[in-house]
Short mmCIF file of all heavy atoms in Angstrom, two decimals:
data_model
loop_
_atom_site.label_atom_id
_atom_site.label_comp_id
_atom_site.label_asym_id
_atom_site.label_seq_id
_atom_site.Cartn_x
_atom_site.Cartn_y
_atom_site.Cartn_z
N THR W 1 -10.37 5.18 -16.58
CA THR W 1 -11.15 5.29 -15.34
C THR W 1 -12.26 6.32 -15.58
O THR W 1 -11.99 7.44 -16.03
CB THR W 1 -10.26 5.72 -14.17
OG1 THR W 1 -9.29 4.68 -13.94
CG2 THR W 1 -11.08 5.91 -12.89
N ILE W 2 -13.48 5.91 -15.29
CA ILE W 2 -14.65 6.74 -15.54
C ILE W 2 -15.16 7.22 -14.18
O ILE W 2 -15.63 6.43 -13.36
CB ILE W 2 -15.71 5.92 -16.31
CG1 ILE W 2 -15.11 5.46 -17.65
CG2 ILE W 2 -16.97 6.74 -16.54
CD1 ILE W 2 -15.90 4.40 -18.36
N ASN W 3 -15.03 8.54 -13.94
CA ASN W 3 -15.35 9.12 -12.62
C ASN W 3 -16.77 9.68 -12.58
O ASN W 3 -17.38 9.93 -13.62
CB ASN W 3 -14.36 10.24 -12.29
CG ASN W 3 -12.95 9.70 -12.12
OD1 ASN W 3 -12.74 8.65 -11.54
ND2 ASN W 3 -11.98 10.42 -12.67
N ASN W 4 -17.24 9.93 -11.35
CA ASN W 4 -18.59 10.47 -11.10
C ASN W 4 -19.65 9.54 -11.67
O ASN W 4 -20.49 9.93 -12.48
CB ASN W 4 -18.75 11.89 -11.68
CG ASN W 4 -20.11 12.50 -11.32
OD1 ASN W 4 -20.68 12.17 -10.29
ND2 ASN W 4 -20.64 13.34 -12.19
N VAL W 5 -19.60 8.27 -11.25
CA VAL W 5 -20.64 7.31 -11.64
C VAL W 5 -21.18 6.61 -10.38
O VAL W 5 -20.57 6.70 -9.31
CB VAL W 5 -20.13 6.23 -12.62
CG1 VAL W 5 -19.65 6.86 -13.91
CG2 VAL W 5 -19.02 5.38 -11.99
N ILE W 6 -22.31 5.93 -10.53
CA ILE W 6 -22.82 5.06 -9.47
C ILE W 6 -22.67 3.63 -10.02
O ILE W 6 -23.48 3.21 -10.87
CB ILE W 6 -24.29 5.40 -9.14
CG1 ILE W 6 -24.40 6.85 -8.64
CG2 ILE W 6 -24.85 4.43 -8.09
CD1 ILE W 6 -25.82 7.36 -8.47
N PRO W 7 -21.62 2.90 -9.59
CA PRO W 7 -21.34 1.58 -10.20
C PRO W 7 -22.54 0.63 -10.20
O PRO W 7 -22.71 -0.15 -11.14
CB PRO W 7 -20.19 1.04 -9.34
CG PRO W 7 -19.48 2.27 -8.86
CD PRO W 7 -20.57 3.28 -8.62
N LYS W 8 -23.38 0.73 -9.18
CA LYS W 8 -24.57 -0.14 -9.11
C LYS W 8 -25.44 0.01 -10.36
O LYS W 8 -26.01 -0.96 -10.86
CB LYS W 8 -25.37 0.24 -7.84
CG LYS W 8 -26.67 -0.50 -7.67
CD LYS W 8 -26.56 -1.56 -6.57
CE LYS W 8 -27.75 -2.48 -6.56
NZ LYS W 8 -27.52 -3.83 -6.95
N HIS W 9 -25.56 1.23 -10.87
CA HIS W 9 -26.40 1.49 -12.05
C HIS W 9 -25.80 0.87 -13.32
O HIS W 9 -26.49 0.76 -14.33
CB HIS W 9 -26.57 3.00 -12.28
CG HIS W 9 -27.34 3.68 -11.19
ND1 HIS W 9 -27.41 5.05 -11.07
CD2 HIS W 9 -28.08 3.17 -10.17
CE1 HIS W 9 -28.15 5.36 -10.02
NE2 HIS W 9 -28.57 4.24 -9.46
N LEU W 10 -24.52 0.51 -13.26
CA LEU W 10 -23.81 0.04 -14.46
C LEU W 10 -23.63 -1.47 -14.47
O LEU W 10 -22.98 -2.01 -15.37
CB LEU W 10 -22.44 0.72 -14.54
CG LEU W 10 -22.46 2.26 -14.50
CD1 LEU W 10 -21.07 2.82 -14.33
CD2 LEU W 10 -23.12 2.82 -15.75
N GLU W 11 -24.21 -2.17 -13.48
CA GLU W 11 -23.90 -3.59 -13.31
C GLU W 11 -24.23 -4.44 -14.53
O GLU W 11 -23.48 -5.34 -14.89
CB GLU W 11 -24.62 -4.15 -12.07
CG GLU W 11 -23.85 -3.79 -10.79
CD GLU W 11 -24.58 -4.20 -9.51
OE1 GLU W 11 -25.74 -4.67 -9.59
OE2 GLU W 11 -23.99 -4.04 -8.43
N SER W 12 -25.36 -4.16 -15.20
CA SER W 12 -25.74 -4.99 -16.35
C SER W 12 -24.73 -4.82 -17.50
O SER W 12 -24.45 -5.77 -18.24
CB SER W 12 -27.15 -4.64 -16.84
OG SER W 12 -27.19 -3.29 -17.27
N ILE W 13 -24.17 -3.63 -17.62
CA ILE W 13 -23.18 -3.36 -18.68
C ILE W 13 -21.84 -3.97 -18.28
O ILE W 13 -21.19 -4.66 -19.09
CB ILE W 13 -23.03 -1.83 -18.90
CG1 ILE W 13 -24.40 -1.21 -19.22
CG2 ILE W 13 -22.02 -1.53 -20.00
CD1 ILE W 13 -24.48 0.29 -19.05
N SER W 14 -21.44 -3.76 -17.02
CA SER W 14 -20.17 -4.34 -16.51
C SER W 14 -20.17 -5.85 -16.70
O SER W 14 -19.18 -6.44 -17.16
CB SER W 14 -19.99 -4.03 -15.02
OG SER W 14 -19.99 -2.65 -14.80
N ALA W 15 -21.29 -6.49 -16.36
CA ALA W 15 -21.38 -7.96 -16.43
C ALA W 15 -21.13 -8.45 -17.85
O ALA W 15 -20.42 -9.45 -18.07
CB ALA W 15 -22.74 -8.43 -15.93
N LYS W 16 -21.70 -7.77 -18.84
CA LYS W 16 -21.52 -8.19 -20.24
C LYS W 16 -20.08 -7.98 -20.70
O LYS W 16 -19.51 -8.82 -21.40
CB LYS W 16 -22.47 -7.41 -21.17
CG LYS W 16 -23.87 -7.97 -21.23
CD LYS W 16 -23.90 -9.39 -21.81
CE LYS W 16 -25.17 -10.11 -21.45
NZ LYS W 16 -25.12 -11.55 -21.71
N LEU W 17 -19.47 -6.86 -20.31
CA LEU W 17 -18.08 -6.60 -20.72
C LEU W 17 -17.14 -7.64 -20.09
O LEU W 17 -16.20 -8.10 -20.74
CB LEU W 17 -17.67 -5.17 -20.34
CG LEU W 17 -18.40 -4.06 -21.11
CD1 LEU W 17 -17.97 -2.68 -20.60
CD2 LEU W 17 -18.16 -4.16 -22.62
N ILE W 18 -17.42 -8.01 -18.84
CA ILE W 18 -16.60 -9.03 -18.17
C ILE W 18 -16.77 -10.38 -18.89
O ILE W 18 -15.81 -11.10 -19.16
CB ILE W 18 -16.97 -9.14 -16.67
CG1 ILE W 18 -16.51 -7.86 -15.94
CG2 ILE W 18 -16.36 -10.38 -16.03
CD1 ILE W 18 -17.11 -7.67 -14.55
N GLU W 19 -18.03 -10.69 -19.25
CA GLU W 19 -18.32 -11.93 -19.98
C GLU W 19 -17.57 -11.97 -21.32
O GLU W 19 -17.14 -13.03 -21.78
CB GLU W 19 -19.84 -12.02 -20.22
CG GLU W 19 -20.32 -13.34 -20.80
CD GLU W 19 -21.83 -13.32 -21.11
OE1 GLU W 19 -22.58 -12.55 -20.49
OE2 GLU W 19 -22.24 -14.07 -22.01
N MET W 20 -17.37 -10.81 -21.92
CA MET W 20 -16.67 -10.73 -23.21
C MET W 20 -15.16 -10.85 -23.07
O MET W 20 -14.46 -11.08 -24.05
CB MET W 20 -17.02 -9.41 -23.91
CG MET W 20 -18.48 -9.32 -24.31
SD MET W 20 -18.89 -7.71 -25.01
CE MET W 20 -18.11 -7.86 -26.63
N GLY W 21 -14.66 -10.63 -21.84
CA GLY W 21 -13.21 -10.76 -21.64
C GLY W 21 -12.52 -9.48 -21.23
O GLY W 21 -11.29 -9.44 -21.09
N ALA W 22 -13.27 -8.40 -21.04
CA ALA W 22 -12.66 -7.14 -20.56
C ALA W 22 -12.58 -7.21 -19.04
O ALA W 22 -13.22 -8.04 -18.40
CB ALA W 22 -13.50 -5.95 -20.99
N GLU W 23 -11.80 -6.29 -18.46
CA GLU W 23 -11.70 -6.23 -17.00
C GLU W 23 -12.42 -4.97 -16.52
O GLU W 23 -12.20 -3.88 -17.08
CB GLU W 23 -10.22 -6.18 -16.61
CG GLU W 23 -9.95 -6.56 -15.18
CD GLU W 23 -8.46 -6.49 -14.81
OE1 GLU W 23 -7.59 -6.65 -15.71
OE2 GLU W 23 -8.17 -6.24 -13.64
N VAL W 24 -13.28 -5.12 -15.53
CA VAL W 24 -14.01 -3.97 -14.98
C VAL W 24 -13.76 -3.93 -13.48
O VAL W 24 -14.05 -4.89 -12.77
CB VAL W 24 -15.53 -4.08 -15.24
CG1 VAL W 24 -16.26 -2.86 -14.67
CG2 VAL W 24 -15.82 -4.22 -16.74
N ILE W 25 -13.18 -2.82 -13.00
CA ILE W 25 -12.89 -2.69 -11.57
C ILE W 25 -13.78 -1.58 -11.02
O ILE W 25 -13.72 -0.43 -11.47
CB ILE W 25 -11.40 -2.33 -11.35
CG1 ILE W 25 -10.51 -3.42 -11.97
CG2 ILE W 25 -11.08 -2.16 -9.87
CD1 ILE W 25 -9.20 -2.91 -12.49
N GLU W 26 -14.62 -1.94 -10.04
CA GLU W 26 -15.53 -0.96 -9.43
C GLU W 26 -14.88 -0.32 -8.21
O GLU W 26 -14.32 -1.01 -7.37
CB GLU W 26 -16.83 -1.65 -8.99
CG GLU W 26 -17.71 -2.09 -10.14
CD GLU W 26 -19.06 -2.61 -9.67
OE1 GLU W 26 -19.34 -2.57 -8.45
OE2 GLU W 26 -19.83 -3.05 -10.53
N ASN W 27 -14.93 1.00 -8.15
CA ASN W 27 -14.49 1.72 -6.95
C ASN W 27 -15.72 2.44 -6.38
O ASN W 27 -16.82 2.22 -6.86
CB ASN W 27 -13.39 2.71 -7.33
CG ASN W 27 -12.30 2.01 -8.14
OD1 ASN W 27 -11.76 1.01 -7.70
ND2 ASN W 27 -11.99 2.50 -9.34
N GLY W 28 -15.53 3.30 -5.41
CA GLY W 28 -16.68 3.97 -4.78
C GLY W 28 -17.55 4.71 -5.77
O GLY W 28 -18.73 4.41 -5.93
N ASP W 29 -16.96 5.70 -6.45
CA ASP W 29 -17.76 6.47 -7.42
C ASP W 29 -17.06 6.51 -8.78
O ASP W 29 -17.15 7.49 -9.52
CB ASP W 29 -18.03 7.89 -6.90
CG ASP W 29 -16.74 8.65 -6.63
OD1 ASP W 29 -15.66 8.06 -6.80
OD2 ASP W 29 -16.83 9.83 -6.24
N SER W 30 -16.36 5.42 -9.09
CA SER W 30 -15.74 5.33 -10.43
C SER W 30 -15.65 3.86 -10.84
O SER W 30 -15.75 2.96 -10.01
CB SER W 30 -14.34 5.96 -10.41
OG SER W 30 -13.45 5.16 -9.65
N VAL W 31 -15.48 3.64 -12.15
CA VAL W 31 -15.17 2.29 -12.65
C VAL W 31 -13.98 2.41 -13.60
O VAL W 31 -13.84 3.41 -14.31
CB VAL W 31 -16.35 1.62 -13.40
CG1 VAL W 31 -17.49 1.26 -12.47
CG2 VAL W 31 -16.85 2.46 -14.55
N THR W 32 -13.13 1.40 -13.57
CA THR W 32 -11.98 1.36 -14.48
C THR W 32 -12.17 0.17 -15.43
O THR W 32 -12.49 -0.93 -15.00
CB THR W 32 -10.66 1.19 -13.69
OG1 THR W 32 -10.53 2.31 -12.80
CG2 THR W 32 -9.47 1.15 -14.63
N ILE W 33 -11.98 0.45 -16.72
CA ILE W 33 -12.11 -0.60 -17.74
C ILE W 33 -10.72 -0.85 -18.33
O ILE W 33 -10.03 0.09 -18.71
CB ILE W 33 -13.03 -0.15 -18.91
CG1 ILE W 33 -14.29 0.52 -18.39
CG2 ILE W 33 -13.35 -1.31 -19.85
CD1 ILE W 33 -15.21 -0.36 -17.64
N LYS W 34 -10.34 -2.14 -18.38
CA LYS W 34 -9.09 -2.52 -19.05
C LYS W 34 -9.44 -3.52 -20.15
O LYS W 34 -10.22 -4.44 -19.92
CB LYS W 34 -8.13 -3.19 -18.07
CG LYS W 34 -7.63 -2.31 -16.95
CD LYS W 34 -6.67 -3.08 -16.05
CE LYS W 34 -6.26 -2.26 -14.84
NZ LYS W 34 -5.42 -3.02 -13.91
N SER W 35 -8.86 -3.32 -21.33
CA SER W 35 -9.18 -4.22 -22.45
C SER W 35 -7.97 -4.39 -23.36
O SER W 35 -7.25 -3.43 -23.64
CB SER W 35 -10.35 -3.63 -23.25
OG SER W 35 -10.46 -4.28 -24.50
N ASN W 36 -7.77 -5.64 -23.82
CA ASN W 36 -6.72 -5.88 -24.82
C ASN W 36 -7.34 -6.09 -26.20
O ASN W 36 -6.68 -6.58 -27.11
CB ASN W 36 -5.86 -7.09 -24.41
CG ASN W 36 -6.71 -8.36 -24.33
OD1 ASN W 36 -7.90 -8.34 -24.65
ND2 ASN W 36 -6.11 -9.46 -23.91
N LYS W 37 -8.62 -5.76 -26.33
CA LYS W 37 -9.40 -5.85 -27.58
C LYS W 37 -9.71 -7.28 -28.00
O LYS W 37 -10.39 -7.50 -28.99
CB LYS W 37 -8.68 -5.15 -28.75
CG LYS W 37 -8.52 -3.67 -28.55
CD LYS W 37 -8.42 -2.90 -29.84
CE LYS W 37 -7.33 -3.34 -30.77
NZ LYS W 37 -7.14 -2.43 -31.88
N ASN W 38 -9.18 -8.27 -27.27
CA ASN W 38 -9.39 -9.66 -27.68
C ASN W 38 -10.66 -10.18 -27.02
O ASN W 38 -10.62 -10.94 -26.06
CB ASN W 38 -8.15 -10.48 -27.25
CG ASN W 38 -8.18 -11.86 -27.83
OD1 ASN W 38 -8.95 -12.14 -28.75
ND2 ASN W 38 -7.37 -12.75 -27.28
#
């Protein structure tokens, strides 16, 4: 979980990671990344 962020600013990066198969969960001022490396 990555705290003290503005998720809106990270959308282009989140979108690519999701496209690759990672999980990105946006909260108010944090994002959580889950990955099984596959």
Side-chain angles (χ1 to χ4, degrees):
T1 296
I2 300 167
N3 295 319
N4 185 29
V5 298
I6 300 172
K8 176 105 191 112
H9 294 168
L10 305 170
E11 280 174 355
S12 62
I13 304 162
S14 301
K16 278 297 161 194
L17 293 177
I18 291 166
E19 188 184 334
M20 294 175 74
E23 199 180 333
V24 181
I25 301 148
E26 290 187 3
N27 309 306
D29 59 358
S30 69
V31 291
T32 300
I33 315 294
K34 295 181 185 176
S35 165
N36 61 4
K37 296 206 304 190
N38 190 15

